[in-house]
Amino acid sequence: MTLKYPCFAFIVSFLVATGWAACASASVTTDPRQIEAKVLAALNNARLNPQAYIADLQGYRRQFEGKVVRLPGSRLTYRTREGTVPVDEAVDFLASRKSRVELQETSVLQAAAADHVAEQSRSGRIGHYSANGSGPGDRAIQRGGGKMVAEVIAYGAFDPLDVVRQLIVDDGVPDRGHRTALFAAHLRYAGVACGPHPTYRTICVIDMAETPDGRP
């Protein structure tokens, strides 16, 4: 499926673990550029070999008890909206997906994503639009790029692997827009920014485009 126009999607996760705040905050806010690089690397691993990523999802699925899932390698648990349904859908999706080229990081897209993280870290807002009404394309334009930007956002992720897993599973998102965008063949460039969020503790924004700066 080719996305001809910008795709905006975000996912909010709900955690039911007493120790989450300290653990998640340390994971995502300590040296954010290292975290962001790991998010992009995890995403590219999934894009390059979608079938190999199925094993991760199958292991994740085994951690479910009803709609509650224990995060791999930790004592933390999520209360999901749909249980294992989107996990099974994601496995089927990846089984038929072709390898995609690695997303290359660019300064314009990274800066646009970072601007959104900075604002929402202060305001506690969620979604793709800033307080002044600007969207992903507007932020890219403000950074010297163009408006053709696809954006996905994960809130409440525990670590870089969890960011990518959440977006691929896409629990609670009816059209699975994150999943589709992450594996879109025409998207070749990206910028990742992560930081703290006052309500959901963490936020990671990934801006993607067909060109390095979002211009047509």
Side-chain angles (χ1 to χ4, degrees):
M1 176 180 179
T2 299
L3 304 180
K4 296 182 179 179
Y5 302 99
C7 169
F8 310 142
F10 68 93
I11 185 169
V12 175
S13 300
F14 300 90
L15 292 109
V16 288
T18 57
W20 177 81
C23 294
S25 179
S27 295
V28 176
T29 62
T30 301
D31 198 352
R33 288 302 291 150
Q34 288 189 15
I35 299 299
E36 292 153 6
K38 291 178 181 179
V39 170
L40 185 59
L43 173 54
N44 278 329
N45 285 340
R47 279 177 60 97
L48 285 170
N49 197 338
Q51 286 75 42
Y53 192 81
I54 289 174
D56 178 272
L57 293 183
Q58 290 172 332
Y60 176 65
R61 191 188 193 284
R62 289 193 289 270
Q63 304 301 313
F64 275 80
E65 292 185 9
K67 292 187 177 181
V68 174
V69 59
R70 184 176 301 279
L71 290 176
S74 81
R75 295 177 297 173
L76 306 180
T77 56
Y78 279 116
R79 184 177 302 280
T80 67
R81 294 179 182 272
E82 301 177 75
T84 59
V85 172
V87 182
D88 293 336
E89 287 181 4
V91 168
D92 291 341
F93 175 91
L94 294 176
S96 61
R97 206 58 31 184
K98 294 181 179 179
S99 176
R100 304 304 190 197
V101 298
E102 287 189 330
L103 295 169
Q104 302 298 315
E105 184 180 58
T106 69
S107 59
V108 168
L109 295 175
Q110 199 282 325
D115 287 343
H116 200 43
V117 169
E119 182 187 73
Q120 295 201 342
S121 291
R122 293 190 303 268
S123 68
R125 293 169 60 90
I126 64 172
H128 298 279
Y129 291 92
S130 304
N132 63 4
S134 62
D138 300 311
R139 291 189 289 274
I141 289 172
Q142 290 166 5
R143 286 294 186 167
K147 66 180 181 179
M148 301 304 292
V149 177
E151 180 172 272
V152 296
I153 307 176
Y155 296 91
F158 172 65
D159 62 16
L161 295 179
D162 189 38
V163 171
V164 174
R165 186 185 302 112
Q166 280 189 38
L167 293 169
I168 291 176
V169 172
D170 236 1
D171 175 63
V173 181
D175 66 357
R176 312 300 187 208
H178 298 83
R179 185 189 301 162
T180 302
L182 293 185
F183 289 92
H186 73 291
L187 297 177
R188 293 171 176 266
Y189 300 92
V192 180
C194 301
H197 190 274
T199 302
Y200 294 103
R201 304 292 183 178
T202 64
I203 171 176
C204 275
V205 176
I206 304 175
D207 284 348
M208 299 172 287
E210 187 170 358
T211 60
D213 59 4
R215 294 178 184 273

